[in-house]
Amino acid sequence: METLSYEIVINAPLQKVWDILWGKETYTEWTQFFSPGSHMKSDWKVGGKTYFLDPNNEGMVSTIDSLNEPHEVIFKHLGMVKDGVEDTESKEVKEWSGSFEKYILIDFDGKTKLHAEVQVEKSWKDHLNMGFTKGLEVVKNLAEKN
């Protein structure tokens, strides 16, 4: 596992950036670089269920490990969802199960410093670098609109 970090300063308040990260329409917009049409379903409870899904409702099942809105959310990835079935036990999943994805928002004199961190297998590094680099620019553009 490798930890990748991304940071961007956005000329908008914390809550606005948070709402763009996790809002239904805006989430799909900024995550298009990972998987077009992706969406997230969450109960927003620590220890609950969160799903990161493609348009076919396949993707990852995770839990929220830590939540302090609008400052921080840490997701712990548990497994995959394929054909409507959660897989948290296969050998393939166990190689990366327990990896974290963190979003930390810091007030920076009325601006927001958004820090994202993700633990990944080396084979996913280029895909995630492209997704986060382009995706966080979309978050910045959406948040800085009046």
Side-chain angles (χ1 to χ4, degrees), residues 117-133:
E117 225 173 81
V118 62
Q119 294 175 315
V120 299
E121 292 289 324
K122 197 170 197 151
S123 62
W124 285 91
K125 183 178 179 178
D126 290 342
H127 180 72
L128 290 174
N129 276 337
M130 190 260 307
F132 274 103
T133 302

Side-chain angles (χ1 to χ4, degrees), residues 45-92:
K45 295 183 181 354
V46 172
K49 290 279 181 96
T50 297
Y51 298 92
F52 299 96
L53 303 167
D54 68 13
N56 300 317
N57 287 320
E58 295 189 347
M60 293 195 313
V61 58
S62 305
T63 190
I64 294 176
D65 195 63
S66 175
L67 177 63
N68 179 18
E69 182 181 341
H71 302 281
E72 174 189 87
V73 62
I74 300 174
F75 298 101
K76 180 175 164 187
H77 299 308
L78 305 174
M80 300 295 294
V81 178
K82 188 161 175 70
D83 298 324
V85 178
E86 291 182 26
D87 171 12
T88 57
E89 299 296 323
S90 71
K91 183 178 181 232
E92 177 190 25

Side-chain angles (χ1 to χ4, degrees), residues 14-145:
L14 288 175
Q15 189 67 54
K16 185 172 185 181
V17 175
W18 179 272
D19 292 344
I20 286 167
L21 281 171
W22 310 119
K24 187 176 179 176
E25 293 81 18
T26 49
Y27 177 84
T28 297
E29 198 168 334
W30 79 266
T31 59
Q32 66 184 301
F33 304 104
F34 299 102
S35 175
S38 63
H39 59 284
M40 182 182 86
K41 294 179 184 174
S42 182
D43 59 12
W44 287 101
K45 295 183 181 354
V46 172
K49 290 279 181 96
T50 297
Y51 298 92
F52 299 96
L53 303 167
D54 68 13
N56 300 317
N57 287 320
E58 295 189 347
M60 293 195 313
V61 58
S62 305
T63 190
I64 294 176
D65 195 63
S66 175
L67 177 63
N68 179 18
E69 182 181 341
H71 302 281
E72 174 189 87
V73 62
I74 300 174
F75 298 101
K76 180 175 164 187
H77 299 308
L78 305 174
M80 300 295 294
V81 178
K82 188 161 175 70
D83 298 324
V85 178
E86 291 182 26
D87 171 12
T88 57
E89 299 296 323
S90 71
K91 183 178 181 232
E92 177 190 25
V93 163
K94 287 193 179 237
E95 290 175 4
W96 55 265
S97 180
S99 64
F100 286 94
E101 186 169 335
K102 303 175 183 182
Y103 295 85
I104 300 164
L105 289 75
I106 302 162
D107 181 47
F108 192 66
D109 293 329
K111 297 179 181 180
T112 300
K113 183 189 283 188
L114 171 56
H115 176 84
E117 225 173 81
V118 62
Q119 294 175 315
V120 299
E121 292 289 324
K122 197 170 197 151
S123 62
W124 285 91
K125 183 178 179 178
D126 290 342
H127 180 72
L128 290 174
N129 276 337
M130 190 260 307
F132 274 103
T133 302
K134 291 184 175 185
L136 295 184
E137 280 297 326
V138 171
V139 172
K140 178 179 173 74
N141 291 337
L142 290 170
E144 290 181 351
K145 284 183 183 174

